[in-house]
Amino acid sequence: AKKNGGNKAIFYSEKSMHSDVDRPRLEAHLRRAIEHKKIDVFYQPKMKVDTEVVFGVEALIRWTDEEFGNVSPAIFIPIAEETGFIQPLWELVMEKACEQVSKWNQSRSHPLSVSVNFSARQFLEPELMLQTVKKILIDKNLPPQNFEIEITESILLNNSAEIVQSLQTLQDQGISISIDDFGTGYSSLSYLKDLPINTLKIDKSFIQNINEDLKNTEIPEAIISLARGLHLDVIAEGVEKEHQKEFLLSKNCVLMQGYLFSKALSSSDFEQFLSNYEGQ
Ligand code: C2E
Ligand code: CA
Ligand code: CA
Ligand code: CA
């Protein structure tokens, strides 16, 4: 792959990233970035569309390397998972995101909730994970009711008693559990009923397939009614088009996230977004 030639937003294909040349170097840079906390957290608003309220944010990690430019999390998260860097990376995101949202909430009448993406790795050492979560929420003065974790279905597929137990422990403290990319796992639905979860997040691929003449609505509709039947919340991600929003509203799915409202923003850009949106 090429080196940074003044162009900071270099796109890496899967192929170039897995070549022997880049990978060790990229790993070394990633390790250094984590050590020096040179990883940013961006915030994508989560909207309650019927009442026009920003009710929360999803914390999304951003890394700009001097040599490699902006590296997509879709590329470096898997590397972090393989190398074990995901543990310090997760702690970094937890600390930054909880601190920031707690700060924002000090001057808000309706507190924002913050969602953090958890990897399977976090559940390999559940005691450590639970302790760390507890400690950070206390340190940052963020009530557990304003904290949510996002996990993918694949984590639940193991259906190990230990994972269910740690989710239960989180939920007992008031933390919400959301199933990310819902519908893309090949899981049986029977497991959902007995798990400690609060929200199904409809994967963006299903939302993006909804076209102007409202074809391809079957899967989002099915997930919405499944959530309703199980008394779970449901949110749609990847909402980009007005007709997708209108369709979701017509099915009473009022929680949405996507470029139609905003991409993930730096903390200062998010403050600007909020003040424009909430008219302060
Ligand atoms: P995800 O959790 O499914 O996050 C949603 C991704 O979709 C984000 O990409 C977001 O910027 C993008 N997105 C949001 N709205 C739209 C839209 O309307 N249209 C389209 N086309 N895309 C939209 P991002 O930030 O590049 O993150 C990619 C993935 O990286 C995330 O997918 C998540 O799996 C992982 N990731 C990001 N931050 C973290 C983190 O802190 N920890 C862990 N473990 N994974 C993370
Ligand atoms: Ca997510
Ligand atoms: Ca997702
Ligand atoms: Ca995803």
Side-chain angles (χ1 to χ4, degrees), residues 193-221:
K193 198 165 68 71
D194 304 312
L195 283 173
I197 54 182
N198 301 80
T199 306
L200 302 182
K201 191 171 198 182
I202 308 172
D203 188 67
K204 56 178 174 295
S205 62
F206 301 122
I207 303 303
Q208 276 157 12
N209 280 338
I210 303 174
N211 49 27
E212 212 95 44
D213 44 7
L214 297 191
K215 293 249 170 63
N216 305 321
T217 59
E218 298 84 358
I219 293 173
E221 266 188 83

Side-chain angles (χ1 to χ4, degrees), residues 93-251:
V93 173
M94 285 287 299
E95 284 180 354
K96 287 195 178 192
C98 292
E99 180 169 310
Q100 181 61 74
V101 172
S102 176
K103 205 174 279 172
W104 282 330
N105 283 346
Q106 282 172 19
S107 57
R108 291 177 62 80
S109 47
H110 303 288
L112 296 167
S113 112
V114 57
S115 310
V116 173
N117 292 285
F118 278 42
S119 295
R121 261 284 175 145
Q122 268 77 66
F123 292 90
L124 289 182
E125 285 178 276
E127 283 308 318
L128 177 65
M129 182 271 285
L130 292 169
Q131 274 177 25
T132 309
V133 168
K134 215 172 191 173
K135 179 177 185 303
I136 292 175
L137 294 186
I138 290 170
D139 281 358
K140 306 302 180 189
N141 200 16
L142 187 77
Q145 287 72 22
N146 299 333
F147 182 69
E148 178 178 73
I149 79 168
E150 294 193 8
I151 56 172
T152 55
E153 271 174 282
S154 58
I155 292 178
L156 299 172
L157 281 183
N158 309 323
N159 203 3
S160 86
E162 206 179 22
I163 288 179
V164 175
Q165 185 53 54
S166 21
L167 292 175
Q168 187 67 61
T169 305
L170 291 168
Q171 204 186 46
D172 288 345
Q173 292 164 41
I175 293 168
S176 293
I177 320 286
S178 178
I179 308 303
D180 204 357
D181 304 344
F182 189 79
T184 61
Y186 300 92
S187 48
S188 87
L189 295 176
S190 56
Y191 72 99
L192 278 176
K193 198 165 68 71
D194 304 312
L195 283 173
I197 54 182
N198 301 80
T199 306
L200 302 182
K201 191 171 198 182
I202 308 172
D203 188 67
K204 56 178 174 295
S205 62
F206 301 122
I207 303 303
Q208 276 157 12
N209 280 338
I210 303 174
N211 49 27
E212 212 95 44
D213 44 7
L214 297 191
K215 293 249 170 63
N216 305 321
T217 59
E218 298 84 358
I219 293 173
E221 266 188 83
I223 296 175
I224 292 165
S225 73
L226 177 66
R228 199 148 290 144
L230 294 172
H231 305 288
L232 300 172
D233 287 334
V234 60
I235 182 168
E237 71 174 356
V239 180
E240 294 182 355
K241 303 275 168 55
E242 196 67 32
H243 70 265
Q244 295 162 348
K245 176 183 111 176
E246 291 307 326
F247 165 75
L248 291 161
L249 278 177
S250 77
K251 297 297 164 191

